[in-house]
Amino acid sequence: MGLTYFKRFRMEIDLGRPVPSPMLPEGYWFVGWDANLLTAHADAKFNSFRAEIDSNVFPCLGDYDGCLRLMHEIAHKDGFLPGATWLIVNRNESGELVNCGTIQGIRDRTGMGAVQNLGVTPEHRGRGVGSMLLLKAIEGFRAAGLRRAFLEVTAQNEGAVRLYRRIGFYKARTVYKAVELMSYAVR
C-alpha cells in the first residue's frame, strides 16, 4: 500500500468586504437548516461529490452512508452554525422537490467561519447555485458575528477555485492531503 497526495488550497475571505446578495435563479428555493433535513443534505452531498475528485480525497463523499455520517458529525459539532447551513431545491418535471445543492458552516476553534462542504449536483451546475449557497453561508457567518471565513478546495477542482475567487476568497496557503492508493480510484 502506498500514498498519493492531493494538492489543496486553503482559501480565506474577510467577511467585512462587500459581496452581492444571494439571488437564486427562478424555480430554485433556499431551505434553512432543520435537523429533519439531515438526509436531504446527505443526498445532495452524495449526488454532488460521488463522481468527483473529492470522493477520492475524502472517500466518505463517494458513499451515501458516508455522506449521512458526515452530515451527522457536522450537525453535532461544537460551533455548528445553522445560519450558515443551507439546502437549495427545485422541482423536477414531475413536480417533485429535488435537492440541488448543500453547504454547511461551523465556527472553528479560532473563531473563524469554516465552510465544511459546498456541493451542487451535476445537472444544476452552471446556474449560479454554488455562488448562491456560498453567499448565503457568508450571510450566516456575518450574522454569527464572525469576521473571517475559510474553506479548503482540491486544486484540481478548477471550477470551484474560480467560484471562490469570484466571490472574494484568496489562496492563503497550499496544503497536501495524503490518501492511501487503495482507496484512490480514477474518476
Side-chain angles (χ1 to χ4, degrees), residues 17-172:
R17 79 186 291 278
V19 294
S21 294
M23 300 277 295
L24 282 173
E26 189 174 331
Y28 289 85
W29 300 274
F30 284 113
V31 180
W33 172 253
D34 180 320
N36 294 320
L37 296 173
L38 192 136
T39 56
H41 282 270
D43 176 70
K45 186 184 300 293
F46 173 66
N47 287 312
S48 298
F49 290 106
R50 68 179 171 185
E52 303 298 330
I53 187 74
D54 284 332
S55 67
N56 292 318
V57 182
F58 302 99
C60 66
L61 294 174
D63 175 69
Y64 179 79
D65 289 335
C67 288
L68 196 56
R69 280 190 307 276
L70 180 58
M71 273 308 305
H72 188 269
E73 289 171 12
I74 291 169
H76 291 88
K77 270 188 177 187
D78 287 339
F80 175 67
L81 292 174
T85 300
W86 293 90
L87 189 65
I88 290 182
V89 298
N90 84 340
R91 293 196 184 278
N92 64 16
E93 300 80 32
S94 304
E96 301 166 316
L97 284 178
V98 176
N99 304 316
C100 305
T102 180
I103 192 166
Q104 305 88 52
I106 64 166
R107 176 193 321 256
D108 80 345
R109 292 185 301 271
T110 68
M112 288 180 67
V115 172
Q116 296 301 283
N117 301 107
L118 184 156
V120 176
T121 60
E123 58 275 12
H124 297 280
R125 293 179 185 157
R127 300 177 188 183
V129 172
S131 296
M132 297 305 104
L133 282 166
L134 190 54
L135 292 171
K136 202 71 166 157
I138 287 171
E139 282 184 352
F141 290 142
R142 286 180 175 158
L146 305 182
R147 295 174 168 237
R148 299 188 61 71
F150 73 93
L151 53 81
E152 282 190 12
V153 59
T154 303
Q156 290 173 264
N157 191 345
E158 295 170 357
V161 172
R162 280 192 307 273
L163 162 67
Y164 302 143
R165 285 190 174 136
R166 192 169 54 246
I167 298 296
F169 281 80
Y170 64 90
K171 183 172 68 167

